[in-house]
Amino acid sequence: MARTPRYNVAASGQWTDEEEGRRRLPAGEVHAWEPGRNETVCGLSLSRSRLARFPHVTWQDIFPESGGAADRVQRVCPRCASAAGRRGPDARPRWRRVNPRP
């Protein structure tokens, strides 16, 4: 059985949340990142793009409606959001065939 990938976050910046015990959180542009890989889901190299890894922040936590670590996220990579899944009110519905041909 195939396992479903778990995506974490890589971001262009970081900030420290004083209220939650000095926890590092992503800021700026965020990308989906699979632990154990040296590149984002959209194909950017983490080291060459100077993206910081956040293995403790899951992909679903960066969206504002989640109430997670989205306070200073300015932009979500659209290619990563397409591959890793975008949840929220402004997300397009998943493609579904309504009347398949025989």
Side-chain angles (χ1 to χ4, degrees):
M1 182 187 307
R3 69 173 184 92
T4 58
R6 250 183 55 119
Y7 297 110
N8 291 356
V9 176
S12 62
Q14 68 181 5
W15 67 285
T16 306
D17 188 10
E18 300 294 333
E19 294 175 1
E20 291 191 24
R22 299 187 52 84
R23 188 173 135 184
R24 275 186 339 119
L25 294 173
E29 183 175 353
V30 295
H31 295 269
W33 164 67
E34 195 171 356
R37 309 253 341 218
N38 194 27
E39 65 181 7
T40 63
V41 174
C42 65
L44 290 177
S45 172
L46 292 174
S47 59
R48 288 186 182 200
S49 301
R50 295 187 179 177
L51 296 174
R53 297 177 181 110
F54 297 90
H56 58 281
V57 179
T58 62
W59 178 248
Q60 288 79 21
D61 286 342
I62 60 148
F63 297 110
E65 55 273 2
S66 72
D71 292 343
R72 301 212 181 150
V73 171
Q74 295 174 351
R75 182 176 184 268
V76 177
C77 173
R79 293 185 298 180
C80 289
S82 173
R86 170 80 165 110
R87 305 288 185 258
D90 60 337
R92 290 193 299 186
R94 292 183 182 238
W95 185 84
R96 194 184 67 154
R97 184 181 297 277
V98 177
N99 190 7
R101 291 181 272 184

